[in-house]
Amino acid sequence: QKEVEQNSGPLSVPEGAIASLNCTYSDRGSQSFFWYRQYSGKSPELIMFIYSNGDKEDGRFTAQLNKASQYVSLLIRDSQPSDSATYLCAVNREGGSEKLVFGKGTKLTVNP
Amino acid sequence: SAVISQKPSRDICQRGTSLTIQCQVDSQVTMMFWYRQQPGQSLTLIATANQGSEATYESGFVIDKFPISRPNLTFSTLTVSNMSPEDSSIYLCSVEGWGQDEQYFGPGTRLTVT
């Protein structure tokens, strides 16, 4: 069974710090990796995607992918209270599949 | 990204009844998906809805319980049939993006079955 594992947290960081969110996946054939942010009572919002090994930066967010280790992470620099949310890691099921498998999410709290 | 709407946004239903949830997109998309998110849990894919073909259901979900329609490239419905309290959940539709496998979600329908 395809699995995506995340530390459920909660992860608490002070405002201005770097928040590091981690995710491992079981299917070596996965090619597409996504981070979604979900505020309480809201639907998931896509914030980052990465397809190749290495780092991808977008503003305060950096996604990191290591396919050999089957590991993907999300760094949030200069964390703000508005970043407080649950972050869901999603991975496509197998090479070329449009279906996604979601982790259970990590709840992040940024303290002012 | 596309603008996605869902109706109703929430509902409280009695056991044994059925509810149809609508998902509307402001642009044509090939792939639409229906998910369930139970309280405190992550997203579970119910089925994939392609226009012009039968929906493809995931393990544990059957057409009799969750019939899906996809009459055109901008609209889909999910019906939750013969509801029980265990069906209380948030139901989300999503659509494929224009890159590589990304999906965008509608606002969700919060269903409570009493």
Side-chain angles (χ1 to χ4, degrees):
Chain A
Q1 183 173 355
K2 315 304 180 187
E3 292 185 347
V4 176
E5 300 286 342
Q6 294 182 254
N7 187 330
S8 62
L11 174 65
S12 183
V13 301
E15 184 175 355
I18 296 175
S20 178
L21 306 164
N22 305 315
C23 171
T24 59
Y25 59 95
S26 64
D27 184 1
R28 285 196 171 273
S30 297
Q31 297 179 351
S32 307
F33 308 87
F34 306 92
W35 285 98
Y36 286 82
R37 177 175 63 197
Q38 187 172 26
Y39 292 114
S40 180
K42 301 296 186 181
S43 64
E45 173 192 9
L46 179 65
I47 56 171
M48 287 290 287
F49 56 87
I50 187 167
Y51 307 131
S52 303
N53 277 329
D55 294 359
K56 178 181 178 182
E57 185 174 322
D58 184 0
R60 295 186 296 112
F61 298 100
T62 299
Q64 299 174 318
L65 174 61
N66 184 326
K67 290 185 179 180
S69 300
Q70 295 177 243
Y71 176 91
V72 59
S73 65
L74 178 70
L75 301 178
I76 306 174
R77 292 181 300 282
D78 187 24
S79 295
Q80 302 296 309
S82 59
D83 295 325
S84 298
T86 296
Y87 289 80
L88 302 170
C89 174
V91 176
N92 79 320
R93 281 193 183 177
E94 54 193 273
S97 172
E98 69 281 352
K99 297 180 181 179
L100 301 182
V101 179
F102 284 80
K104 293 185 177 181
T106 298
K107 185 173 183 179
L108 171 67
T109 299
V110 180
N111 300 304
Chain B
S1 62
V3 175
I4 308 167
S5 60
Q6 282 186 239
K7 290 181 181 180
S9 59
R10 59 178 61 227
D11 208 340
I12 300 173
C13 300
Q14 290 192 340
R15 180 195 303 259
T17 63
S18 298
L19 176 71
T20 296
I21 302 168
Q22 299 179 6
C23 180
Q24 179 78 52
V25 190
D26 70 344
S27 57
Q28 294 184 342
V29 293
T30 301
M31 306 288 290
M32 296 182 76
F33 306 87
W34 286 98
Y35 288 84
R36 180 173 72 183
Q37 187 173 32
Q38 293 179 309
Q41 301 298 313
S42 190
L43 284 75
T44 301
L45 180 64
I46 297 172
T48 303
N50 292 335
Q51 192 268 338
S53 63
E54 294 291 324
T56 304
Y57 289 82
E58 298 301 307
S59 176
F61 298 96
V62 296
I63 187 171
D64 290 346
K65 176 67 175 178
F66 297 101
I68 288 171
S69 77
R70 182 77 199 276
N72 57 52
L73 291 174
T74 63
F75 187 78
S76 179
T77 67
L78 168 76
T79 298
V80 186
S81 302
N82 188 23
M83 288 184 286
S84 66
E86 292 70 35
D87 295 319
S88 297
S89 187
I90 297 172
Y91 292 85
L92 295 145
C93 70
S94 72
V95 304
E96 60 171 345
W98 290 266
Q100 185 172 330
D101 300 329
E102 78 273 19
Q103 294 179 21
Y104 298 94
F105 286 86
T109 295
R110 183 179 295 272
L111 171 62
T112 302
V113 184
T114 61

